[in-house]
Amino acid sequence: MPGQAAELVFDEATKRYPGREGAAVDHLSLTVPAGEICVLVGPSGGGKTTALRLVNRLIELTSGDIRIDGTSVKAQNLVQLRRGIGYVIQQVGLFPHMTIEANIGTVPRLYGRPRSWIKTRSAELLELVGLDPSYAKRYPAQLSGGERQRVGLARALAGNPPLMLMDEPFGAIDPIVRTRLQDEFLRLQREVRKTVVFVTHDIDEAIKIGDRLAVIRTGGRLAQYDTPRAILEKPADDFVAEFIGPDRALKALSLHTLAELELGPPADGPTCGLEMTVRDALALLLEKKATVLAVTDEKGAVIGSITREELLA
Ligand SMILES: Nc1ncnc2c1ncn2[C@@H]1O[C@H](COP(=O)(O)OP(=O)(O)OP(=O)(O)O)[C@@H](O)[C@H]1O
Ligand SMILES: [Mg+2]
């Protein structure tokens, strides 16, 4: 089965749907380096889903090209191409009559993997996405929406594809579970290091998940492609600035954690861990009506403090 991560290049990729005025994706050019997460954000109807589907050829390019590790998607056999790409969508599309284990084993089965191998691999993947191994024998209807979404992710990872396409994978999930899935997805990505193209409507999710963001404007044109930090600090134009929101200075604070700051001596106050973002730390101060936070290590021991003034600086 495939492995590693692949570089993905959109090269003037263009899609015009027949009978529609204007392009859905218009001369889109960008490179996603191997092992990075690129998040596509932009207004509804802007062409994000179309851009993803051009990659696995659920939709064919009108002009331009898309290359995976240097090979054009047009030059590849469709079956081979799709086996090398994990695809996760909002309504997961699990097979209802198959157990979770069988769902996860879909692609490995195509590769002729034996049943025992698939069983072991499913158990590993369930653990990886944070589900108990006992879920293997259940059916999709016996899972919550968030759990099904994890199974969808496990299934997409099962063939060990070098590239993952994720179209609003956490879109229909409540905020608490969504935050947890985002955290788990990031932890997972640190382990498996796939190249990922991730579509979301949620700019906060984009900033949290993305190594790079591609802001797409209506008509499928690229407005800006850069790291979240660069985009928050220097939006390319009014469209981008408006899209990321007037609170972009506050959003930028979510890119830094307390571990990056110089702490004062241990003090009394509401406690927070080193991994907390500066934005969350400020929110905690406001909520607790405090002026100083006690910062703790993994074991919960207070190792220092940080004041409101220091956070704002
Ligand atoms: N099969 C199709 N035939 C014709 N037009 C289509 C087709 N699929 C999408 N479109 C049009 O192409 C444009 C881009 O659609 P697309 O689904 O790529 O947008 P999107 O950015 O994913 O939107 P959303 O955020 O709402 O999911 C829209 O104007 C849409 O109406
Ligand atoms: Mg879409």
Side-chain angles (χ1 to χ4, degrees):
M1 294 200 293
Q4 305 296 320
E7 181 194 68
L8 176 68
V9 175
F10 287 85
D11 183 4
E12 304 280 313
T14 299
K15 177 65 188 181
R16 293 175 180 279
Y17 288 108
R20 296 203 46 137
E21 208 171 310
V25 173
D26 195 0
H27 294 88
L28 180 66
S29 290
L30 59 86
T31 296
V32 188
E36 285 202 0
I37 302 174
C38 165
V39 180
L40 305 185
V41 284
S44 182
K48 304 179 295 295
T49 295
T50 301
L52 274 199
R53 290 179 162 182
L54 289 171
V55 179
N56 60 9
R57 287 180 54 200
L58 286 171
I59 297 172
E60 297 287 350
L61 284 159
T62 306
S63 66
D65 203 1
I66 294 173
R67 290 183 291 274
I68 300 173
D69 269 346
T71 307
S72 169
V73 295
K74 295 186 278 192
Q76 296 184 48
N77 164 296
L78 257 191
V79 174
Q80 295 290 4
L81 174 74
R82 291 194 188 148
R83 279 187 194 172
I85 301 175
Y87 187 43
V88 187
I89 53 174
Q90 200 181 94
Q91 301 304 340
V92 205
L94 297 178
F95 303 116
H97 58 286
M98 281 164 45
T99 62
I100 297 309
E101 182 177 280
N103 265 285
I104 294 176
T106 310
V107 172
R109 238 182 349 266
L110 290 172
Y111 280 105
R113 293 287 185 175
R115 190 173 290 200
S116 59
W117 189 95
I118 291 174
K119 207 175 159 75
T120 312
R121 180 76 177 139
S122 299
E124 276 169 21
L125 284 163
L126 281 174
E127 197 191 333
L128 207 58
V129 299
L131 289 176
D132 191 84
S134 65
Y135 278 63
K137 295 295 171 210
R138 294 211 211 169
Y139 287 86
Q142 300 169 315
L143 270 56
S144 77
E147 289 168 345
R148 278 200 291 270
Q149 211 62 43
R150 289 171 206 226
V151 174
L153 183 57
R155 185 175 63 176
L157 286 166
N160 198 18
L163 176 62
M164 300 275 289
L165 307 176
M166 306 180 71
D167 197 348
E168 304 199 45
F170 311 143
I173 292 168
D174 74 72
I176 293 170
V177 176
R178 187 172 180 148
T179 303
R180 215 166 58 215
L181 281 178
Q182 290 164 350
D183 292 339
E184 276 166 20
F185 173 67
L186 286 175
R187 176 185 56 74
L188 194 65
Q189 170 67 357
R190 280 193 289 274
E191 279 181 45
V192 298
R193 275 281 157 217
K194 303 291 177 195
T195 307
V196 181
V197 187
F198 188 109
V199 172
T200 179
H201 270 107
D202 176 347
I203 186 70
D204 290 306
E205 179 168 83
I207 291 165
K208 175 171 174 182
I209 296 258
D211 295 306
R212 287 162 208 257
L213 309 188
V215 187
I216 314 265
R217 66 174 96 237
T218 309
R221 273 170 298 126
L222 187 62
Q224 190 168 8
Y225 183 49
D226 213 326
T227 60
R229 186 175 296 191
I231 289 177
L232 287 170
E233 283 170 2
K234 213 162 178 281
D237 57 23
D238 290 347
F239 169 81
V240 177
E242 199 175 315
F243 190 78
I244 59 184
D247 59 339
R248 65 172 190 265
L250 204 52
K251 287 187 170 113
L253 294 177
S254 65
L255 295 169
H256 300 277
T257 65
L258 298 183
E260 297 165 50
L261 303 181
E262 200 169 314
L263 303 179
D268 278 338
T271 58
C272 59
L274 272 175
E275 73 296 335
M276 187 177 269
T277 67
V278 173
R279 183 182 181 170
D280 288 348
L282 277 170
L284 183 65
L285 273 177
L286 283 174
E287 186 198 322
K288 303 285 186 193
K289 297 188 173 50
T291 53
V292 60
L293 292 175
V295 184
T296 60
D297 63 14
E298 318 77 89
K299 298 195 188 73
V302 177
I303 51 168
S305 64
I306 191 97
T307 64
R308 186 171 53 202
E309 286 67 34
E310 285 163 340
L311 283 172
L312 288 170

